[in-house]
Amino acid sequence: QVQPVESGGGLVQAGGSLRLSCKFPRMILSTFSGAIMEWHRQTPGKQRELVARITSDDTNYADSVKGRFTISKDNVKRTINLQMNSLKPEDTGVYYCHALTVGAQHYWGQGSQVTVSS
């Protein structure tokens, strides 16, 4: 019932940019503010990879995207974003937003296809 809604995936050429968004319209502000928010990506045949994480006081990135991707959080809109710049073909995959609340509840977005052509 707190299912997040993703948007922003698509097809882009190498070197281009995309911005993914993940909205939590039914999550109360206090829960949203305290949750660990993440973006993961999945490629067939590979294990799901943590791409970026944001908490109330820190951000973390996979080495493969550091310097190119930026995760952000808007408490008023209850939305997390992933700005992806300088995209590479190896960034291709299905991107999922994920929330882990202080109450140990997990919520996953439906997934967004990101395809980077060379």
Side-chain angles (χ1 to χ4, degrees):
Q1 299 302 305
V2 192
Q3 181 74 36
V5 180
E6 298 183 28
S7 62
L11 174 65
V12 66
Q13 295 180 9
S17 298
L18 286 172
R19 184 177 177 88
L20 302 179
S21 295
C22 180
K23 299 181 182 296
F24 295 79
R26 297 184 62 85
M27 182 176 286
I28 64 174
L29 178 59
S30 60
T31 299
F32 183 87
S33 298
I36 297 171
M37 300 293 189
E38 302 173 333
W39 288 96
H40 298 244
R41 67 186 177 192
Q42 179 73 60
T43 299
K46 297 170 60 179
Q47 192 169 10
R48 186 171 294 186
E49 174 189 21
L50 175 63
V51 174
R53 172 187 290 146
I54 186 168
T55 67
S56 60
D57 59 0
D58 201 10
T59 57
N60 293 278
Y61 299 92
D63 288 342
S64 60
V65 308
K66 189 175 182 180
R68 300 186 297 117
F69 290 12
T70 303
I71 187 171
S72 61
K73 183 179 180 182
D74 187 330
N75 288 328
V76 175
K77 297 180 179 179
R78 282 170 283 179
T79 300
I80 60 170
N81 301 290
L82 186 68
Q83 179 66 46
M84 303 182 291
N85 297 326
S86 301
L87 283 162
K88 305 174 180 179
E90 51 262 45
D91 295 319
T92 294
V94 180
Y95 285 69
Y96 298 88
C97 63
H98 171 247
L100 173 59
T101 70
V102 173
Q105 297 294 307
H106 293 264
Y107 301 97
W108 289 92
Q110 80 277 13
S112 299
Q113 177 68 48
V114 172
T115 303
V116 184
S117 64
S118 59

